[in-house]
Amino acid sequence: MFENLSEKLQRVFKNLRGEGRLTAANMETALREIRVALLEADVNFRVVKQLIESIREKAMGEEVLTALSPAQQVVKIVNEELVKILGSHQSKLRFANEPPTSMLVVGLQGSGKTTSTGKLARWLSRNGHRPMMVSVDVYRPAAREQLRIVARDVGLPAYDGGAEEKTPLDLARGARREAANTGHDVLLVDTAGRLHIDDELMIELQQLKDLLSPVEILFVADAMTGQDAVRSADEFHKRLGITGVILTKMDGDARGGAALSIRHVTGQPVKFVGLGEKADALEPFHPDRAASRILGMGDILSFIEKAEEAIDKKQAVEIQRKLLDNEFTLEDFRDQLRQLKKLGPLDSILSMMPKVGMLKELKDVKVDENEVTRVVAIIDSMTPGERANHMIINGSRRRRIARGSGTSVQEVNQLLKQYAQARKMMKSLSGGFLGKKLGKFKLPVM
Amino acid sequence: MIQTLFGSVEQEPGLLERLKAGVQKTRAGLVGRLEETLTGRKQIDPELLEELEFTLIGADIGVKTTAEILDRIRERVDRKLVDDASELRGLIREHLLEILQAAERMPARVEEPPAVVLAVGVNGSGKTTTIGKLAHRYRADNRSVLLCAADTFRAAAIEQLQIWGERTGTEVIRQKPGADPSAVLFDALQAARSRRIDYVIVDTAGRLQTKANLMAELEKMSRTAARVVPSAPHEVLLVMDATTGQNGLEQARRFTETSGVTGIVLTKLDGTAKGGVVIAIARELSLPIRYVGVGEKIDDLLPFDPEKFIESLFAQ
């Protein structure tokens, strides 16, 4: 993985004499690092150039804050600049005065239109709407079948089309009629993936737009897209006037610099991000989080939010006390694991963490969900006495626990070893991110 | 019976032309801007080098590889080996070619059929379409092919492969959605062995390289394949979208670690994206590019040839 920008900047300023302040000379070195970081995150080079200019101006005019080191100060400026471009607040979907509201979902092949359509339908229905979906992809093999299955999985209707409805326009027309007749207030139109230079198919989209007068035209973009993002987004925007972007596959480790490029060339906001293959893995876009991710500083805010949802605060305080008093038992360990599991898939959690300092060791950690399940099973197979005091677990108890949990003695041994380590580690963390400091954690994380 | 994995390697008529047509837009972009950069200016100055840098980075070649190329140029300029801007193109071409050639690998020899080809990659990279086209190539070469629908996860993935099976006249071994991919693979390989099939092409579910459990599933599939057919899988193709940026390198790295990628298929090269990240991949991981996808038609899959690829990028 890439070195985090803050680490790089720290290095830059450390290598220079008179570390205490921002000067024209060390600023140039810092700007070079920022430039590389942005390019490695796939931000378009033209966008990078402009950004660097405005960052330079800002930084030169900036009052030196005594509270921040130069590195922190630069990161703060960069972060602010990125957030400014990405939009300073969440952008909401708009709806037509008279239902049904049509929304077109467009994009390149394989960007994730159908999956996003299903997720968006579910999101709308959770937020008080009655969405209906239709696939007008008559080209790709089994594309309409795919939406049908997605719709069935989220338990929301997809318009199938009559036998005589063969073209995208016919299907769209029929779907709108059906939606109006059955009282659905939003019609999501899943279109075929196409290249922005495919004139024929772009004209088809314009016809769909003329027919449906959609309130939203959502451009679905893959977070892994490179420099070409500006060209495709720009072309879609010129021909259709997109109203927003859905950034998909953000559950991977792509830095998502494309978001910045797309926003920059189209002026349209990212409205949602796709974070997984499950139907509920769609979240409103948070510009501040995207900015720190582009800079390689992890999506710590999302992590904290998830943690706050999942972790019982009182329990956390209690655990912390126990840790400090060395009373952290296997039972507590199990509770912690269960809470951790509630946060969602563990590897997606880890991908949100900044790869800095103490947490650096985490970046190579391979997380196996089954491992967690096995560990919980082993602890479940212990007696309350054993959970309270692991010292009493001797050989014969180990064999019994292994049998009871369907594991082996080696696995039980391993767990006990891990537990001892965890006890040690958690004590040194003293509740760092699980404890009460949670709410106070702020960016920039240095 | 001895065969190479990709059968005959004879030159197809008009291959270069088709490749050229496919990458025409790529060419128009990269070459266009290179020309723009390189003509009208004789002196090699910092400004020109910066323009060059942007051109290469704009093609997704990556900061590191770009820096390497520029360093080489600067060095030659300093030693007065080059002083004319017009020589730069040849220098760059030479360097890119070197990188791609160094990564070339012959496909594995198959001692006993079937040859097992696994298509892996992130979601939406074009695996199923590539498999359809690949089946068509093998069939055109008079080989018997069996498709294995081991993407049991994504909605309608099996149906999509089935349609490609019908188009290419190839049987598809399938189970129900949600079935264990390794079980489907096992079935397909058993069937292929008993019928003396030449090629089994395996469609796997798209997965992001950060999903440890899904990556482990791929490892299991490789093990399963080796149990039925010794030394299988013979080829593991990482299917990558040409629009992919620098994350492509991480993709290649992680997929190689877990499923032993042996080559890359670069898809969607008919757009404006350059697919330059494969150069970074070739440089860092020595992975060869086997094929390029240049359209949605059944014969829009062409063998990759570094020389021709660069040539068509830089041809006048």
Side-chain angles (χ1 to χ4, degrees):
Chain A
M1 273 307 285
F2 307 103
E3 192 185 10
N4 175 319
L5 178 66
S6 359
E7 289 173 306
K8 276 187 191 162
L9 290 179
Q10 265 175 337
R11 194 163 36 77
V12 168
F13 288 106
K14 211 161 270 167
N15 291 343
L16 293 164
R17 229 183 269 245
E19 203 196 321
R21 45 148 73 114
L22 281 179
T23 65
N26 63 17
M27 193 59 209
E28 281 311 308
T29 321
L31 285 173
R32 263 205 299 282
E33 294 290 354
I34 293 165
R35 184 172 163 278
V36 171
L38 292 172
L39 287 172
E40 279 178 344
D42 290 322
V43 180
N44 184 266
F45 65 90
R46 287 183 209 284
V47 180
V48 171
K49 197 167 183 177
Q50 288 181 30
L51 257 171
I52 293 293
E53 282 316 309
S54 65
I55 291 167
R56 178 183 284 122
E57 256 170 57
K58 280 271 164 57
M60 288 309 171
E62 190 89 340
E63 285 279 309
V64 178
L65 300 171
T66 44
L68 297 176
S69 72
Q72 283 173 321
Q73 209 172 334
V74 173
V75 168
K76 182 171 151 284
I77 295 168
V78 178
N79 204 59
E80 281 169 2
E81 246 354 76
L82 295 194
V83 171
K84 210 169 81 189
I85 294 181
L86 289 167
S88 43
H89 55 273
Q90 283 179 34
S91 298
K92 302 227 154 65
L93 286 177
R94 292 166 308 171
F95 297 90
N97 294 329
E98 214 166 297
T101 300
S102 297
M103 298 187 184
L104 272 187
V105 181
V106 303
L108 301 173
Q109 291 95 335
S111 51
K113 289 173 294 303
T114 307
T115 308
S116 297
T117 303
K119 289 177 183 175
L120 192 56
R122 184 185 175 279
W123 187 88
L124 285 166
S125 100
R126 289 284 156 110
N127 285 277
H129 294 278
R130 293 196 63 210
M132 177 185 260
M133 291 167 271
V134 62
S135 167
V136 299
D137 184 353
V138 298
Y139 310 102
R140 208 203 69 196
R144 290 176 62 199
E145 178 65 19
Q146 188 185 347
L147 186 74
R148 212 170 290 141
I149 295 169
V150 166
R152 192 194 60 205
D153 289 349
V154 295
L156 292 166
Y159 179 70
D160 255 345
E164 70 293 344
E165 290 172 345
K166 295 269 189 244
T167 68
L169 285 173
D170 286 345
L171 281 164
R173 204 175 286 122
R176 189 179 50 181
R177 197 183 319 116
E178 177 81 4
N181 289 343
T182 52
H184 289 93
D185 66 338
V186 182
L187 176 66
L188 295 174
V189 184
D190 179 23
T191 65
R194 63 203 74 212
L195 287 170
H196 48 290
I197 47 171
D198 188 331
D199 203 43
E200 214 173 297
L201 286 177
M202 291 306 280
I203 289 173
E204 180 195 284
L205 279 185
Q206 285 166 326
Q207 289 168 339
L208 278 169
K209 182 187 175 183
D210 292 343
L211 173 75
L212 295 168
S213 315
V215 175
E216 293 279 1
I217 298 177
L218 299 169
F219 178 67
V220 179
D222 186 327
M224 296 178 284
T225 313
Q227 298 285 325
D228 196 50
V230 290
R231 248 164 299 169
S232 49
D234 192 34
E235 192 62 26
F236 268 93
H237 188 50
K238 274 192 193 131
R239 301 196 65 153
L240 294 170
I242 63 168
T243 61
V245 176
I246 300 178
L247 196 64
T248 61
K249 307 179 201 173
M250 279 289 273
D251 47 331
D253 57 3
R255 303 256 287 271
L260 202 66
S261 309
I262 294 172
R263 166 79 195 199
H264 196 262
V265 293
T266 66
Q268 299 306 306
V270 180
K271 296 198 171 177
F272 289 96
V273 290
L275 288 163
E277 303 195 45
K278 295 210 184 90
D280 59 353
L282 183 80
E283 286 176 11
F285 176 72
H286 296 281
D288 43 350
R289 299 175 194 181
S292 44
R293 177 162 173 161
I294 288 170
L295 295 175
M297 301 195 295
D299 194 353
I300 194 89
L301 286 170
S302 290
F303 169 71
I304 290 170
E305 199 169 81
K306 278 198 158 185
E308 275 178 336
E309 267 173 35
I311 291 169
D312 182 339
K313 280 236 174 86
K314 264 190 215 149
Q315 213 181 354
V317 173
E318 177 63 15
I319 295 265
Q320 201 181 357
R321 187 193 60 74
K322 283 183 170 177
L323 280 169
L324 291 175
D325 300 345
N326 220 6
E327 286 172 22
F328 184 68
T329 65
L330 277 162
E331 199 148 346
D332 300 321
F333 186 44
R334 184 183 59 183
D335 288 344
Q336 291 272 291
L337 286 174
R338 282 184 176 153
Q339 287 196 343
L340 206 57
K341 277 192 87 175
K342 269 200 277 176
L343 285 171
L346 292 180
D347 36 12
S348 90
I349 304 277
L350 282 183
S351 72
M352 283 186 226
M353 306 280 259
K355 313 282 190 286
V356 272
M358 177 184 70
L359 298 175
K360 209 169 199 160
E361 297 85 53
L362 284 176
K363 79 177 166 189
D364 295 322
V365 170
K366 293 226 170 74
V367 187
D368 183 358
E369 300 276 332
N370 296 331
E371 177 72 30
V372 176
T373 312
R374 260 197 301 278
V375 168
V376 171
I378 292 173
I379 301 178
D380 281 341
S381 299
M382 296 175 183
T383 65
E386 287 165 346
R387 282 181 217 141
N389 180 13
H390 70 287
M391 301 303 278
I392 64 168
I393 306 177
N394 58 21
S396 92
R397 282 174 190 265
R398 282 171 204 224
R399 277 193 296 280
R400 193 205 74 243
I401 293 166
R403 266 203 314 279
S405 55
T407 56
S408 62
V409 175
Q410 283 86 345
E411 281 171 288
V412 175
N413 286 340
Q414 205 186 350
L415 162 68
L416 290 171
K417 209 170 126 194
Q418 277 172 352
Y419 162 67
Q421 274 171 356
R423 216 168 130 118
K424 222 164 86 189
M425 186 185 87
M426 288 184 137
K427 203 178 163 190
S428 72
L429 276 171
S430 49
F433 57 86
L434 293 173
K436 63 182 173 187
K437 286 178 193 150
L438 206 57
K440 292 181 198 155
F441 218 154
K442 268 191 188 155
L443 277 174
V445 189
M446 297 300 289
Chain B
M1 180 175 146
I2 305 279
Q3 57 177 132
T4 62
L5 193 57
F6 289 107
S8 62
V9 250
E10 77 212 30
Q11 290 308 319
E12 288 168 44
L15 173 67
L16 184 58
E17 279 61 46
R18 286 168 69 205
L19 183 59
K20 265 187 191 165
V23 293
Q24 202 176 20
K25 287 115 194 171
T26 312
R27 217 192 111 201
L30 179 61
V31 175
R33 277 188 291 131
L34 260 184
E35 295 292 336
E36 206 176 286
T37 306
L38 297 176
T39 51
R41 253 189 284 197
K42 275 277 178 197
Q43 281 293 312
I44 300 171
D45 51 27
E47 242 171 73
L48 174 62
L49 289 177
E50 194 199 5
E51 269 299 312
L52 260 178
E53 183 185 12
F54 277 158
T55 308
L56 296 171
I57 285 173
D60 286 319
I61 284 172
V63 186
K64 234 168 139 184
T65 312
T66 299
E68 192 185 85
I69 294 172
L70 291 180
D71 284 348
R72 175 185 275 220
I73 290 172
R74 273 193 206 100
E75 186 194 321
R76 301 231 180 152
V77 173
D78 287 348
R79 282 160 54 199
K80 305 249 185 281
L81 291 173
V82 187
D83 56 357
D84 192 333
S86 62
E87 287 171 47
L88 286 185
R89 198 195 317 131
L91 216 55
I92 294 171
R93 183 210 313 232
E94 185 190 305
H95 190 69
L96 295 180
L97 196 59
E98 255 172 44
I99 292 174
L100 289 176
Q101 275 170 344
E104 268 182 89
R105 297 279 179 283
M106 282 300 287
R109 283 197 164 277
V110 179
E111 301 300 329
E112 193 188 329
V116 181
V117 182
L118 219 61
V120 301
V122 298
N123 317 63
S125 57
K127 286 175 293 301
T128 311
T129 307
T130 298
I131 287 168
K133 294 173 184 172
L134 199 55
H136 175 71
R137 285 194 73 87
Y138 291 157
R139 297 282 290 155
D141 215 19
N142 283 322
R143 303 289 183 178
S144 53
V145 182
L146 199 64
L147 299 180
C148 170
D151 180 357
T152 57
F153 180 77
R154 204 205 69 200
I158 300 174
E159 286 83 348
Q160 190 183 345
L161 191 69
Q162 185 76 50
I163 292 169
W164 277 108
E166 282 156 23
R167 283 183 186 171
T168 55
T170 313
E171 197 188 333
V172 179
I173 300 291
R174 52 183 286 183
Q175 288 184 14
K176 285 206 177 68
D180 178 6
S182 293
V184 189
L185 176 62
F186 188 83
D187 280 2
L189 295 182
Q190 292 281 24
R193 266 177 69 116
S194 60
R195 293 183 220 168
R196 309 278 302 166
I197 297 278
D198 295 325
Y199 290 97
V200 179
I201 316 178
V202 188
D203 189 17
T204 65
R207 65 203 72 215
L208 297 179
Q209 70 274 15
T210 49
K211 312 274 175 183
N213 51 343
L214 295 179
M215 296 304 278
E217 184 186 275
L218 279 184
E219 277 182 291
K220 181 180 168 192
M221 289 179 75
S222 293
R223 284 199 305 272
T224 305
R227 267 211 307 279
V228 188
V229 180
S231 76
H234 304 89
E235 182 88 305
V236 180
L237 295 174
L238 174 65
V239 181
M240 189 175 289
D241 186 328
T243 60
T244 310
Q246 296 312 297
N247 192 250
L249 191 55
E250 204 54 28
Q251 276 176 34
R253 191 171 286 139
R254 301 286 275 274
F255 274 98
T256 305
E257 274 168 19
T258 53
S259 51
V261 174
T262 58
I264 304 228
V265 180
L266 191 61
T267 62
K268 307 179 201 175
L269 213 52
D270 47 333
T272 51
K274 324 247 171 285
V277 72
V278 296
I279 290 177
I281 292 172
R283 182 179 166 277
E284 299 227 349
L285 301 169
S286 275
L287 279 178
I289 298 98
R290 292 270 192 249
Y291 290 102
V292 292
V294 293
E296 294 184 317
K297 288 194 299 295
I298 198 162
D299 54 0
D300 284 335
L301 184 75
L302 306 172
F304 179 83
D305 179 319
E307 212 154 332
K308 291 203 176 96
F309 183 69
I310 305 270
E311 196 180 317
S312 46
L313 283 179
F314 286 85
Q316 289 287 345

